[in-house]
Amino acid sequence: MPRTILALVDLREESTIRLSRIHTMVELPLNHLGLSVVYWNVADGLPDLSRYPDLRGIVSWFAGEPFTDVGAYIAWAGKAMDRGVRFAVLGQSGVRLERGGKPVPLALSNRFFARFGLRDDDGYSDLTYKSKPALADGMIGFERPLSGVLPGYPLFRKTDERFASHLVMRRGGDPASDSHLVVTGPAGGMVTDGYGRYFDAEFNRRQWIVDPFAFLRDSFATDDLPKPDVTTLSGRRIYFSHIDGDGWRNVTEVAPYASRRVLSADMVRTAAIEPFPDLPVSVAPIVGDLDPTWKGTPESLEAARKLFALPQVEPSSHTWTHPFQWSFFKDYSRQNEAPFLNRDSGYRPGKPDDHAAEEAGEVSDIGRYAVPRAYLQQPFDLDQEIGGALDYFTRLAPTGKRAVLVQWSGDTSPFEAALAAVRKAGGVNINGGDARFDADFPSITGLPPIGLPVGAERQIYAAGSNENTYTELWTGRFYGYRNLTNTMRHAGSPIRLKPFNVYYHMYSGQKAASLNALVSVLTAARGQELAPVAASTYARIAEGFYTARFEPLEGGRRWRVLDRGALNTLRFDHASAGAVDFARSSGVLGQRHSQGSLYVALDPAVAEPVVALTETDRADRDPPAASPYLVQGRWAFSALAADGQGFRVAAAGYGDGSMVWHVPRPGRWTVTAERDGTRLWSGSADADADGRLALTVPVSAIAPLLLRLRPAGGASGDTAG
């Protein structure tokens, strides 16, 4: 089933894909709909579509005239649509003017518009004070209503009733003036420039007028497509946390620890990590802050050892020398770095508590940085920066722990070779994106997509923004990180768009306000229904989103899942009456309804599961099944199998294992937890009349264990946990 969308961008008008309208606004909704995006720069000509065997559709959002030969583009687009490729056109269509401003004959432009059931009648309403919507359905007014002075618009007549009109503007109450500005239909959809989003230049604020989920859903006909979901595991929203090592050696200002010159890294450990053993965190120091041959001290090195020894801590890397501006090192020359060698970067062992914003922060404005990287005494070495740093932290960690996650530093804009170095080192990567969705950023446009293609590689974005964006780049409002809970709330409801991600720097341990804000966020996370995982696990899940494939099988509403990697959740939208048909499925752990969608948990032990759907009579209760299945749980589960009259399943996770299973038999069930043949705990729980068995297993599953559940019979009693 094709799930690739080809995005056409003009990098003569938009400097990078990272900052393009499609990447910053459209790719997130496309990802949510299960679609993966690849990019093509039309300045290089028109792409050969045979390069994209998995192509489902094409999206464009031009602001100018990208084509010198508009006729060739219209013919190319027509051939694509003739073979079933659907188009979503936002903003300028690119077919009215040739590059340089030469008008395109209306007859030629109308060949393109006819594909969307429209005809341009060569009229234009530039004074819109008399214009009002004659039709504006539920797709219009998603984040901002049509109000104020409206943009001018062309006169689009509808010529094909197979297309649905979602916004029709009328001038002066005259039906003859009707113009169809937002349409969707069999070939895709079109949103007229100025009517898709609102932009406030003064506050740099963007909001959707059109509902992008509904528009793209209709344009690319995604209802038949299973959605690989990176937000959910075992029926619960994923939680992960990661710390960049900036500020590691800062001396805390928190009383009474300041008088003892406690390092920020130790302050974070004692206040925000050790008290939360149920919340995993990936800790990524900078080698230059630890290694005595660079700028490390015995204290900074010991701080890392203590952190890595904690069971819930995953050792990760924030690189060796902390590059600030990654593009500087793409074609590295020591000679180009020479002008900076005599500058003081601020990373001085004699002054670890003086960590200015331009040295401490991961900011997008690289002009704030005084040097291209924090430590310059040795020439830049990409292998040392990536694989060397991972090896260094692996050696520093206890036996059995391996550093695999690279958390990008500085402007978090790695070039292709840097991403390739992570992959070649057997690692995964994360950072970038700066997700915000709160009162200051009141739009889903503040949430990034899952990742960014960089050449043949892919950068995985964090799901939340760090404290820098909440504290004016660490210059004030040091309590601001409390606001993360608002972003996480909006990114989780009414549509679950992102996992719950707590991402920060070690300098949060420097000030009392920032440390209190961090602890408040962790406390809030602990009170929610989440499935905690290591940050590297999330990065692998995100990678699985891009590789997953679906093969439709006979019998209807049945698919084989291929090449999904670590991704183990599928989502089916508008599925309140849908359910897994377990008799026709294999490798499925369970299912859960939430927010009108059906979340299906796949068994990691099955490489190519098969998922089949059916209808259920009662959407308000778990559908019956002959075999037990998972409804939701805090841990990750795998290898579900029958075990006599009951079942067994492997489990791993953080904190006590709260979970809900649907079992075919109500009444008392006995539960045991084992590891390597040794029983760790046993108890019992009662399944209600609907077969719902809720229990909590109060043991640690950081080291995986085996659960056995069997019907016990007899009278009901107290439930386990």
Side-chain angles (χ1 to χ4, degrees), residues 42-57:
V42 296
D44 297 329
L46 295 172
D48 178 2
L49 296 187
S50 66
R51 299 174 51 180
Y52 309 100
D54 188 36
L55 190 63
R56 189 182 194 91

Side-chain angles (χ1 to χ4, degrees), residues 591-650:
Q591 65 158 45
R592 187 184 194 185
H593 286 96
S594 181
Q595 301 175 341
S597 296
L598 175 66
Y599 289 84
V600 178
L602 305 179
D603 194 330
V606 179
E608 297 183 358
V610 172
V611 178
L613 297 186
T614 186
E615 296 295 314
T616 180
D617 294 332
R618 292 285 302 271
D620 60 334
R621 64 175 58 170
D622 303 328
S627 302
Y629 64 83
L630 176 70
V631 178
Q632 53 93 353
R634 181 179 177 89
W635 291 344
F637 301 92
S638 65
L640 176 64
D643 187 18
Q645 293 184 344
F647 64 97
R648 66 180 184 271
V649 66

Side-chain angles (χ1 to χ4, degrees), residues 186-233:
M190 179 178 288
V191 177
T192 302
D193 189 38
Y195 287 84
R197 64 152 186 186
Y198 167 81
F199 177 66
D200 185 334
E202 181 180 356
F203 297 100
N204 193 28
R205 178 173 292 179
R206 301 175 300 181
Q207 291 179 301
W208 282 103
I209 297 170
V210 166
D211 180 344
F213 302 99
F215 172 72
L216 295 168
R217 172 196 175 202
D218 288 355
S219 295
F220 295 122
T222 60
D223 282 357
D224 67 332
L225 180 69
K227 281 76 174 173
D229 191 281
V230 305
T231 71
T232 304
L233 179 68

